[in-house]
Amino acid sequence: MALSDPVLTVLLCMAAYLAGSVLFALPVCRLMGLPDPRAQGSGNPGATNVYRTGGWLPAVLTLALDAAKGWLPVWLAHHAGLSALVQAMVALCAVTGHMIPAFYRFKGGKGVATALGAGLALAPATTAAMAALWLLVLWRWRVSALASVIAIVSGPLISAFLEPESLPMFGLLAILIVVRHRNNLIRLAQGRETGF
């Protein structure tokens, strides 16, 4: 397969966006008899808010499914022989789909779990280091938004040392995810952000 197949690139980017647009928190909560996470807690359709309303099992399911929809299209792009740049584009499309989903009036989540899955497919060493940092910050301060922002902002620096070809993707992901966390950052500065 050519490294720069434009048709396949467009198809995979579209598929990644549509996959990202499926907010798995909603069917998971529906199947488990839980309230819509968009109307509970922080209002975010993600694993952390699902945990607040339903506990560990639905939260882990949501995390795994949201990560899988980021991982699969990037894995497909990799195994199709497409370049690292195209794989990064596919990853960004999946994360953008979660943030601005076509199926939910373009109102989505923060994109952290989807970025985790995409990162594991494209840059596993960098992503593993970021995940370890996320866990460390969460353990110390018990605030998921703080852990997410610190981990994602560290991504470009970590990738520069471990997997430099993924640096552009982590740089763009950092911008996207920090912007999506702007309200959390305001609440953190005011001491009002909800922790575990």
Side-chain angles (χ1 to χ4, degrees), residues 66-129:
D66 278 347
K69 73 185 183 186
W71 176 84
L72 181 58
V74 178
W75 181 85
L76 290 171
H78 174 74
H79 283 274
L82 298 176
S83 67
L85 177 60
V86 171
Q87 293 174 51
M89 290 169 55
V90 171
L92 290 167
C93 287
V95 174
T96 302
H98 184 84
M99 293 178 173
I100 312 169
F103 307 135
Y104 302 99
R105 299 181 181 179
F106 306 106
K107 295 179 181 178
K110 303 293 174 61
V112 175
T114 307
L116 169 68
L120 285 172
L122 180 61
T126 298
T127 306

Side-chain angles (χ1 to χ4, degrees), residues 32-184:
M32 301 189 79
L34 298 171
D36 188 329
R38 296 171 298 179
Q40 306 291 323
S42 66
N44 182 54
T48 300
N49 201 38
V50 170
Y51 168 77
R52 292 188 183 110
T53 59
W56 282 110
L57 179 57
V60 170
L61 284 173
T62 300
L63 175 65
L65 290 167
D66 278 347
K69 73 185 183 186
W71 176 84
L72 181 58
V74 178
W75 181 85
L76 290 171
H78 174 74
H79 283 274
L82 298 176
S83 67
L85 177 60
V86 171
Q87 293 174 51
M89 290 169 55
V90 171
L92 290 167
C93 287
V95 174
T96 302
H98 184 84
M99 293 178 173
I100 312 169
F103 307 135
Y104 302 99
R105 299 181 181 179
F106 306 106
K107 295 179 181 178
K110 303 293 174 61
V112 175
T114 307
L116 169 68
L120 285 172
L122 180 61
T126 298
T127 306
M130 292 168 62
L133 180 59
W134 183 89
L135 286 169
L136 179 64
V137 175
L138 184 67
W139 172 79
R140 175 61 182 84
W141 284 284
R142 313 294 289 178
V143 179
S144 179
L146 178 64
S148 296
V149 169
I150 289 175
I152 198 65
V153 168
S154 75
L157 181 61
I158 295 170
S159 68
F161 285 97
L162 297 181
E163 292 158 317
E165 68 281 359
S166 65
L167 176 58
M169 182 191 76
F170 284 109
L172 289 171
L173 282 176
I175 294 169
L176 286 173
I177 291 176
V178 168
V179 168
R180 289 297 285 186
H181 280 81
R182 61 190 181 278
N183 292 331
N184 303 85

